[in-house]
Amino acid sequence: MRSPFANGMRPRALAVAVVLTAWFVLVLVRLVHLQVFEHARLKSDVLSQSQNEIAVYPTRGTITDRNGKILARSLPVESVYFSPVRTEPPSRQMEQIARLRGILDLSAKDLARIGARVEKRSGYILIKRKADPDVAARAFALGVKGLFLQGESKRFYPQQNLAAHVLGGVGIDDNGLAGVELQYDRLLEGEKGKRLLMLDARRRSYSFETITEAKPGQDLRLTIDETIQYIAESELEKAVTVTGAKWGTVVVMDSSTGEILALANAPSYAPGDYPPESEVGRNQAIARNFEPGSTFKIVTAAAARACGRVGFGEIYDCRKGSIMVGGAAVRDHKPLGVLGFSGVFIESSDVVTIMVAQEIVARGLYDMIRAFRFGEKTGIDLPGEEQGIIHPLSTWRTSSFRVAIGYEISVTALQILRAMNIYAARGLLVRPHIALDRPAGIAEGEPAVLPEKIVGELVPVFEAVVEEGTGKPARLEGFNIAGKTGTAQKIDRAIGAYSSRLHLASFVGFVPAERPALSMIVVIDEPQGTLQYGGQVAAPVFREIAARVLRYLRVVPNAAPPAVITASLAKGGRP
Amino acid sequence: MVHRRYGLKEIALGAGFILLLLVILTFYIWYQTEAIQLGYRIGELEVRINRMKEDIKRLEAKRSELLSLRRIEGIARGELGLVDPAPGQVLYEGRDLEPKKERP
């Protein structure tokens, strides 16, 4: 056999060998270029084409009332995403997406946004966030290439507006923005997870791998009672509508534990559509400072008894009907004649309360205000609480004695309620709270704010306020109510002085006075029309709520109201 | 070339061994297939369980919505014409109540 390298064939064989070697070298150079120099870019391209890492949102914890009734719950929904198909022109893909328009309710703006991202061939594009599962399933059934669904959850408030200001609301990512949703966000939200989607050549997801498991949030049980909350809201709403007031608030608290049974504001909003208009979203019970007016006399009365200079035998002449304080006149709401110490508070005489305060002297009054913890937050577990405004004693002027009648001081409704509750709790300060598993409202070893003797002396005075004084409209047959009315004039910004038209009407009290079950405050801001006093506007709301709530709680009246038929089992009788 | 002749016993043993191998292999393949099938089935059932749990949560929320007091009161007053009980219609059971004394 003849060798291929023999004679004439050798140059041709050499040429072939050179060409082959050059070709191998070229391939090798290209491989080195792709595998070494272009490695990082190409690897990321491959990963972006074959995988997608997405966040998995955990299910937020459920919020219930004290009896386990659902107030807020997260339910599964589907978010619709689109992963652009690289092999198809963007215009064709947009034609496909346009088919979803009707089902997913996409606007022209949405389509423009999606179109821009399809042009850029972005990793994955959000088409519709948190769509109803049925709607998402209908969209998916159209078979649009590159479309995929991602399970998420959406906050649902089955009771609509109920306890809106307590619950607050969440944002689009289910993050708490107000109320307990914000206060207990960490507990409720759980922990986000991560998931890796595997995509085929057409960028359709065929499998997924969980990188980090999402941890669901914990449930939260509130002290709120759905029924009491509903009663408070419906009565408050009625009062605010009838009086044409700007806003109103009611807080109902368990006198001994500080558990908030209801916290209502009117007007209200739907927590499912958070955020509402700015003012409507404000929790007026804790986030609004105001001059309280005569409800603050519950502090003055305590200071008077504690200082030891004012006795129940004192007689005050207030026939003049006015007194000058720091160059300005303070007047009674009507001529009151001669009053004893109890009568001052029963008839709510501003004139005599100022006289009493002057006997107490500023230091005694100031110390009692601090003892009642005004100027400090109550510590309720809700965000946005105000602490009120108290001027330091060193800055007090003669006019500062108006503090005794609830002016020149700012408080929140909850602070006034907590102060009144000191009488209900036999002198102890009870901390209000809204989450049921929080510790009891009375701190162990904390000294009493008021001695039992003073409480025992003053509670009958506040009972008499309701039985025969300014708080008569709060009277409830069969129950003794201890309470105090308040009517504060408001500053008219137009004239820069206290207005005779603008009032803040309030009533604070507890019931039954001898075995308190509930403490409650009602505040109505700027009632219109002829009825503007706390006794006329707020006290009837207190009565209506108390009547319904006591019946609901099965609190038996002390004495049978005249028309009530009473029934009881005879001894040895069968039920 | 010289070929060794196998006895009947040897052939039967060899055939039995091959058969056994085939049986084991078949069992292994069947076992693997069944395991994979069961895995799919378990996966499907897990998805079903999760969906049912979600349905329970959804139904509980729906029940809560249907039993909301605003709705119930609306039906009671609006559709059924119910009214609040008058003071004389309230019975307090299980306790002797003294008629209220007027405050002096």
Side-chain angles (χ1 to χ4, degrees):
Chain A
M1 194 178 162
R2 216 177 141 195
S3 164
F5 296 101
N7 301 331
M9 286 182 75
R10 184 174 289 174
R12 271 179 282 170
L14 259 174
V16 169
V18 166
V19 168
L20 280 175
T21 309
W23 182 71
F24 273 121
V25 167
L26 266 175
V27 169
L28 195 70
V29 167
R30 181 64 179 152
L31 275 174
V32 168
H33 180 250
L34 292 177
Q35 290 289 345
V36 179
F37 299 106
E38 293 279 322
H39 179 81
R41 185 182 65 81
L42 291 172
K43 191 178 176 185
S44 92
D45 275 3
V46 167
L47 288 178
S48 75
Q49 283 171 33
S50 63
Q51 294 178 354
N52 246 343
E53 191 180 290
I54 57 167
V56 181
Y57 295 94
T59 309
R60 198 172 170 81
T62 298
I63 302 174
T64 64
D65 83 338
R66 63 190 300 118
N67 301 313
K69 303 262 180 73
I70 298 167
L71 300 176
R73 168 165 275 182
S74 290
L75 293 176
V77 286
E78 300 279 6
S79 286
V80 184
Y81 289 91
F82 179 71
S83 198
V85 182
R86 286 177 188 250
T87 51
E88 282 188 15
S91 58
R92 200 160 151 199
Q93 294 184 62
M94 279 311 292
E95 277 172 25
Q96 293 286 308
I97 291 169
R99 291 168 62 204
L100 305 169
R101 189 176 185 173
I103 297 172
L104 296 176
D105 193 23
L106 300 175
S107 64
K109 202 176 158 191
D110 291 331
L111 287 175
R113 173 184 59 83
I114 296 163
R117 296 203 61 193
V118 170
E119 285 285 347
K120 280 189 198 167
R121 297 188 186 271
S122 305
Y124 64 99
I125 303 162
L126 175 69
I127 304 289
K128 185 81 179 177
R129 187 86 193 267
K130 300 194 174 185
D132 185 90
D134 294 339
V135 171
R138 270 168 48 213
F140 192 69
L142 290 180
V144 175
K145 277 182 200 167
L147 198 76
F148 66 96
L149 305 179
Q150 171 65 42
E152 281 194 74
S153 58
K154 189 179 180 184
R155 212 61 172 154
F156 178 62
Y157 298 89
Q159 315 271 356
Q160 283 92 37
N161 289 22
L162 193 89
H165 292 86
V166 174
L167 297 170
V170 297
I172 186 73
D173 287 328
D174 269 11
N175 52 320
L177 296 179
V180 289
E181 295 275 24
L182 174 60
Q183 184 75 21
Y184 291 102
D185 195 35
R186 286 235 167 140
L187 179 102
L188 291 164
E189 71 175 348
E191 281 175 34
K192 254 188 214 172
K194 269 186 193 170
R195 185 178 282 184
L196 196 64
L197 294 180
M198 309 296 176
L199 306 172
D200 64 11
R202 293 188 163 190
R203 295 187 61 73
R204 286 173 301 190
S205 169
Y206 62 89
S207 170
F208 67 84
E209 202 172 287
T210 302
I211 302 169
T212 322
E213 195 77 54
K215 286 185 188 161
Q218 291 179 46
D219 294 346
L220 178 67
R221 200 164 181 183
L222 301 182
T223 56
I224 295 289
D225 184 304
E226 180 205 31
T227 306
I228 299 176
Q229 179 71 30
Y230 174 69
I231 292 168
E233 281 187 13
S234 52
E235 292 297 340
L236 178 66
E237 201 180 308
K238 217 185 294 173
V240 168
T241 307
V242 168
T243 60
K246 270 174 83 175
W247 57 265
T249 187
V250 169
V251 185
V252 184
M253 185 168 86
D254 184 307
S255 306
S256 56
T257 64
E259 291 170 2
I260 300 293
L261 301 171
L263 191 157
N265 285 286
S268 187
Y269 66 92
D273 296 327
Y274 198 85
E277 292 169 39
S278 58
E279 270 304 289
V280 175
R282 185 195 281 209
N283 189 343
Q284 308 285 6
I286 60 165
R288 168 80 72 174
N289 285 322
F290 56 83
E291 288 181 311
S294 295
T295 48
F296 201 75
K297 288 173 187 167
I298 60 173
V299 181
T300 312
R305 294 302 302 139
C307 77
R309 285 191 287 277
V310 185
F312 275 86
E314 305 276 339
I315 298 293
Y316 299 94
D317 183 359
C318 49
R319 281 175 295 188
K320 198 178 157 196
S322 68
I323 188 172
M324 294 301 288
V325 186
V330 170
R331 292 187 177 82
D332 280 332
H333 55 97
K334 65 176 182 181
L336 294 169
V338 176
L339 296 171
F341 178 77
S342 301
V344 172
F345 299 99
I346 294 167
E347 296 298 338
S348 201
S349 167
D350 285 352
V351 172
V352 184
T353 306
I354 293 280
M355 290 157 69
V356 168
Q358 286 166 343
E359 282 183 64
I360 300 165
V361 306
R363 164 60 67 185
L365 189 56
Y366 182 81
D367 286 348
M368 189 53 78
I369 291 169
R370 300 303 305 197
F372 271 73
R373 304 285 177 86
F374 285 100
E376 290 173 32
K377 290 180 180 180
T378 64
I380 189 169
D381 41 340
L382 281 174
E385 187 184 12
E386 288 285 337
Q387 61 181 32
I389 302 165
I390 300 176
H391 300 296
L393 188 59
S394 56
T395 64
W396 277 30
R397 303 160 291 175
T398 323
S399 67
S400 298
F401 277 107
R402 285 156 50 87
V403 166
I405 55 169
Y407 289 91
E408 300 209 6
I409 186 168
S410 282
V411 302
T412 65
L414 191 64
Q415 284 178 328
I416 287 284
L417 178 65
R418 180 178 65 170
M420 188 50 147
N421 196 64
I422 290 171
Y423 290 99
R426 310 304 296 174
L428 295 170
L429 187 91
V430 180
R431 193 181 63 181
H433 60 282
I434 205 98
L436 196 60
D437 56 359
R438 284 195 58 174
I442 299 173
E444 227 172 275
E446 197 167 323
V449 175
L450 290 178
E452 279 222 37
K453 183 174 172 285
I454 293 180
V455 173
E457 286 170 355
L458 291 177
V459 167
V461 175
F462 299 132
E463 281 183 63
V465 168
V466 177
E467 285 295 321
E468 56 203 63
T470 53
K472 260 187 186 171
R475 267 184 79 177
L476 190 60
E477 284 298 337
F479 293 98
N480 293 326
I481 295 174
K484 185 71 195 80
T485 55
T487 310
Q489 284 183 297
K490 291 183 69 179
I491 299 264
D492 187 340
R493 293 190 191 282
I495 56 172
Y498 283 102
S499 164
S500 56
R501 294 179 301 108
L502 306 176
H503 294 96
L504 187 131
S506 58
F507 185 90
V508 63
F510 54 91
V511 60
E514 56 286 349
R515 285 174 287 105
L518 310 170
S519 294
M520 191 194 319
I521 185 164
V522 179
V523 180
I524 309 278
D525 185 46
E526 293 186 21
Q528 307 297 306
T530 50
L531 303 180
Q532 301 211 341
Y533 290 148
Q536 297 167 323
V537 179
V541 180
F542 183 101
R543 182 195 61 225
E544 292 305 317
I545 295 173
R548 292 174 66 183
V549 171
L550 290 169
R551 200 157 59 212
Y552 164 70
L553 293 177
R554 297 170 189 269
V555 178
V556 180
N558 283 333
V564 170
I565 306 159
T566 62
S568 61
L569 286 175
K571 276 178 189 168
R574 283 188 179 180
Chain B
M1 206 171 162
V2 178
H3 287 280
R4 184 180 166 234
R5 287 183 67 88
Y6 291 99
L8 199 63
K9 197 177 167 186
E10 283 174 318
I11 291 169
L13 201 67
F17 183 71
I18 289 167
L19 196 69
L20 185 69
L21 268 181
L22 277 173
V23 167
I24 290 170
L25 198 67
T26 309
F27 174 77
Y28 179 75
I29 291 167
W30 171 82
Y31 168 79
Q32 287 294 327
T33 315
E34 277 300 296
I36 290 167
Q37 288 297 328
L38 284 172
Y40 282 133
R41 183 87 183 114
I42 288 167
E44 279 169 18
L45 289 173
E46 274 176 359
V47 169
R48 261 185 82 185
I49 288 168
N50 283 336
R51 280 204 189 130
M52 282 177 172
K53 279 182 183 168
E54 284 168 5
D55 281 348
I56 290 168
K57 285 178 79 176
R58 200 190 303 277
L59 288 170
E60 280 175 350
K62 188 73 188 164
R63 183 184 64 181
S64 196
E65 187 180 22
L66 291 172
L67 290 175
S68 79
L69 294 169
R70 192 171 292 273
R71 184 174 168 276
I72 300 279
E73 187 171 19
I75 293 170
R77 290 186 194 280
E79 293 177 24
L80 304 176
L82 301 182
V83 293
D84 285 320
Q89 294 175 303
V90 180
L91 302 181
Y92 293 95
E93 195 184 353
R95 187 170 163 182
D96 294 319
L97 298 168
E98 294 295 323
K100 189 174 181 178
K101 287 172 189 157
E102 284 302 312
R103 188 176 277 272

